[in-house]
């Protein structure tokens, strides 16, 4: 089955979103915590205490999302499990952040949750879209 034009545009949008996720990961991993502490001491404290396994999970989330978007664009069914893996990693990442850190007390509920909720919703949309396209036979 041929892919509708909207499919290509959506797949490219997903790819760009996930590239921004990779860029965010790299910037956060390489950030200068001393400089951050001068402007956001609470945020610096949270980042400094981030365990290695959580960085790994974050990396899995962004790389699986990127892979999912790339394979969606290439119309390969492996996009579906990659998007699911990314979604699971997002849930683990933010679950830890909200349960094990004082981020809400430090930043406030709206600031602390707005972007993570957006990331979670987009991860669900990507997975569901890929699943629907596989069911339609657009990806195989």
């Amino acid at each position: 089955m041929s892919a509708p034009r909207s499919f290509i545009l959506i797949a490219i949008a997903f790819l760009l979103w996930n590239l921004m996720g990779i860029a965010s990961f790299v910037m956060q991993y390489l950030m200068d915590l001393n400089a951050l502490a001068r402007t956001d001491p609470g945020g610096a404290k949270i980042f400094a205490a981030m365990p290695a396994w959580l960085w790994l999970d974050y990396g899995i989330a962004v790389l699986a999302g990127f892979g999912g978007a790339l394979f969606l664009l290439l119309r390969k069914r492996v996009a579906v499990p990659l998007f699911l893996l990314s979604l699971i990693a997002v849930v683990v990442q933010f679950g830890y952040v909200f349960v094990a850190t004082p981020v809400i007390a430090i930043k406030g509920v709206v600031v602390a949750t707005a972007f993570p909720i957006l990331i979670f919703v987009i991860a669900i949309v990507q997975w569901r879209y890929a699943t629907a396209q596989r069911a339609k036979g657009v990806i195989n």
Side-chain angles (χ1 to χ4, degrees):
M1 170 180 226
S2 67
R5 185 170 291 160
S6 62
F7 173 85
I8 302 298
L9 295 174
I10 291 168
I12 290 171
F14 288 170
L15 192 65
L16 293 173
W17 169 259
N18 285 286
L19 280 171
M20 289 189 304
I22 291 171
S24 179
F25 172 86
V26 170
M27 287 187 295
Q28 289 177 11
Y29 189 78
L30 298 176
M31 84 173 100
D32 179 357
L33 291 179
N34 292 324
L36 180 63
R38 288 191 287 278
T39 59
D40 183 6
K45 185 177 180 180
I46 290 169
F47 272 110
M50 199 163 146
W53 69 264
L54 193 60
W55 283 108
L56 177 63
D57 177 75
Y58 184 4
I60 289 169
V62 297
L63 289 176
F66 175 77
L70 181 61
F71 283 112
L72 181 68
L73 188 59
L74 296 172
R75 299 176 56 187
K76 301 294 181 190
R77 71 183 316 130
V78 70
V80 175
L82 285 171
F83 279 137
L84 180 58
L85 176 61
S86 179
L87 173 60
I88 292 167
V90 164
V91 169
V92 169
Q93 176 187 3
F94 291 123
Y96 174 85
V97 168
F98 293 128
V99 170
T101 74
V103 68
I104 292 176
I106 291 170
K107 303 266 185 194
V109 69
V110 173
V111 172
T113 62
F115 201 58
I117 289 170
L118 176 65
I119 292 168
F120 175 69
V121 168
I122 291 173
I124 291 172
V125 168
Q126 291 178 132
W127 173 57
R128 295 294 299 145
Y129 182 77
T131 302
Q133 297 309 306
R134 182 180 65 194
K136 291 178 185 176
V138 173
I139 63 175
N140 48 19

